[in-house]
Structures are given as structure tokens and as C-alpha cells.
Amino acid sequence: MPLFLHTADWQIGRQFSSFDAEAAPHLAEARFAVVQRLARIATERQVDAVLVAGDVLDAQTVSDRTIRRLFHAMEGFRGPWLLIPGNHDAALAESVWTQAQRMGVVPANVHLLLKPEVTLFAAQGFAVLPAPLTQRHSYSDLSAWMDDAQTPEGLLRIGLAHGSVQGILHEGIDSTNPIAPTRCETARLDWLALGDWHGTKSIHERMAYSGTPEADRFHNNDAGNALLVAIDAPGAVPRVEKIATGAYVWKELVHSLRVASDVDAVEQALDALGASDVVRLQLAGQVDLAGQQRLDAAVARADARVRSLQCERTALALVPTDEDLAQLQADGYVGELLAELRAESAAGGADSPAAAALALLAAALMPVGERA
């Protein structure tokens, strides 16, 4: 009974440039660590092969050191690793893969499937039909050749492809690297290992996206997994087990604030976060001075605890109450300006320039220890 570990979209070498200098290296390093974790899983579960369905590397320009570290991370599994190029690491005439071959660092058990041709693993009971991308974007279905591919009787037919299954994924992402949703039927495949969609998603009983094994986006798409696929015999329905592999959990928290209890909800959400969380917090609406102080304190607590916290609050307005303004220490000209802006704000409403100026002045007059 052949057993496979299906994974994809490692994107080794990604730099995470939108993160701060403290978090980015940890996120990049996690992508090497998860490959080591996959190798351990493959060894522990005694799989016959690891299927890697494209975007192994993040770019054609990754360093030689990154290439060496990739293959070093795979050393924990001595069985076959079957890799196809995706859109990030396409098999160009000169590519990251030809560079790896020239460097002589590709181990004998790592099979770079750079051409659409059958590769036999007769001893393990299967044949592989890859659809490698030879350019970043293709507008034809590169898996179509599988329909006419001949394989010895009695061997499983295992396909690998990287792209968008037509009519299945979100609208607007079917334009490049298309894959027919009927490919398993027309090509008589026992399993089609898919890459490109970064979340785990079953298309039907013989076709699925494993997703990236280490989450890398703020999408609620079940990332951070690999699939263990067992197939008893040609034509048998695969048995698929989802295995959690990721170290970090990416979370997007969105809160619209209007009343004091809304601040309570933000505090509770932030205080529930842990060291493995990568968080994007988006705040909108309005708060008074007390609410802002509570938010600032909660964000500071969470920021010290999680791997990364990005806070976006440009859509959150500070709207001080009369009590807030009365407690501010403002004498002389500043006191007069505060009273004038207060009056103009009351006349012009919360969206007036005076209201914005009042909020800025109130924030500036807050005691230093209470500011953001």
C-alpha cells in the first residue's frame, strides 16, 4: 500500500520585508524548520515518497547558501523527494534548479521533475506524472499531457501540478496556470497533488491542495498543513489525513469601535494571544481618551508576547469627551485654543477639521505616561 506525504509552496528564501527587523528573520527561518519537520514526519510515518507540488523556492534569485540549506533541511528523510517547479521557481532554461545542479548539491534521493515525462518508481508501486511550470505564467493546461501518458499496469498513477483548478478557487485567480477539474478522470490518476493555493483544500477524492506547511499570509484558508495520502491499489479511493505542520498561526483581528464595551472586546482578543501568533490588528471607528489609553496598553502587552503584531489604526478617530477635556491641564493660550476647537467641533460635527484638530491637541496634552 503506497503512502505519500503531499506538500507544496515552501517558498524557501522569502524575506518578509513588510515585517520589522526583529520578526522577519524568525518567519524566514521557520520555512527551513518546517521542511525539517516534514522530513521527520515522512520518516516516522514511513512514507514511500514526499510529493512537493511546486514553489519550493521563493525566487530564481535566492542565494547559493539558501539552496544548500534547503537540501540540508531535507536530509531527515532518506526516501524519494519528488519536486516540481512552480511559478516562483519555474524551470527556465537558466533557473534556480540548473544552478543547484551545477553546484552539485542535489542529493540522489531528491528528484527534480523538470520535464513533463513519466518517472517510474516500480519498487514502491507507482509512476509519477509531473506538470512542471517552465515559465512563471502559462495560459494552457500543462497537465493535459497526462491523459495520453502510458504507465505500466499495476502501478499507481500519481500526478503533480501547480496552478489553479478552473472554476473551483476564488473568482479572478483562474487566468494563469490553469488545471482542468476533470484531470484525474481523463488521465486516470489515483492522486493529483496540487500546489499554488496556500491553504489546505480538497477538490475531490483524488485531488487536493496541501497548502503551504508554514502559514505566510493573513488568510483564513487553513494553512500550515501537509496531507498524508494512502492508496491501497490502482483505482482505490485514497485515504487522506491532514497533519498540522506549522509553527506560527497568522491571525487578522478586525474591530470597529463605538462604545466602551468594544474596547473590552479588543483587550480580550489581544490578551488571548500567545508566542506562536503573527497578528495584524485593524482598528476603526472612534474612542475617547480613556479608551485609547486602554488600547495602547493592551497592544503593548500583546506586542511583547507574540511573534509579530502589526497594528493599523488610521481609521480609528480619537473623539475626546467633555470629561476628557475637562481633565486636561491647559492654561493660557492653549486653554483658549482648546475651548475654541471644542466649540467649533460641536458645531461642525465629528468629521469636521476642528474635531480632528481637537483630537490631536487632546492627545498631545495627555500626560506622557498615558500616550501611545
Side-chain angles (χ1 to χ4, degrees), residues 13-93:
R14 184 174 174 186
Q15 296 302 302
F16 296 95
S17 57
S18 63
F19 288 80
D20 62 42
E22 182 177 338
H26 290 279
L27 299 178
E29 193 65 24
R31 310 205 75 74
F32 290 100
V34 79
V35 175
Q36 295 176 316
R37 202 170 302 125
L38 290 167
R40 289 197 298 269
I41 293 168
T43 298
E44 291 167 1
R45 302 301 288 265
Q46 297 182 326
V47 306
D48 291 281
V50 180
L51 312 175
V52 190
D55 279 0
V56 180
L57 290 149
D58 188 56
Q60 301 285 0
T61 54
V62 298
S63 68
D64 289 357
R65 181 173 185 271
T66 294
I67 295 172
R68 292 180 187 277
R69 291 193 66 201
L70 162 66
F71 294 115
H72 176 73
M74 299 164 68
E75 288 180 352
F77 176 62
R78 296 298 184 178
W81 294 83
L82 312 181
L83 281 58
I84 65 167
N87 56 300
H88 280 255
D89 53 8
L92 310 173

Side-chain angles (χ1 to χ4, degrees), residues 103-123:
M103 291 166 61
V105 296
V106 183
N109 65 318
V110 176
H111 302 267
L112 305 183
L113 307 177
L114 306 182
K115 298 179 181 180
E117 57 189 18
V118 173
T119 302
L120 299 179
F121 293 85

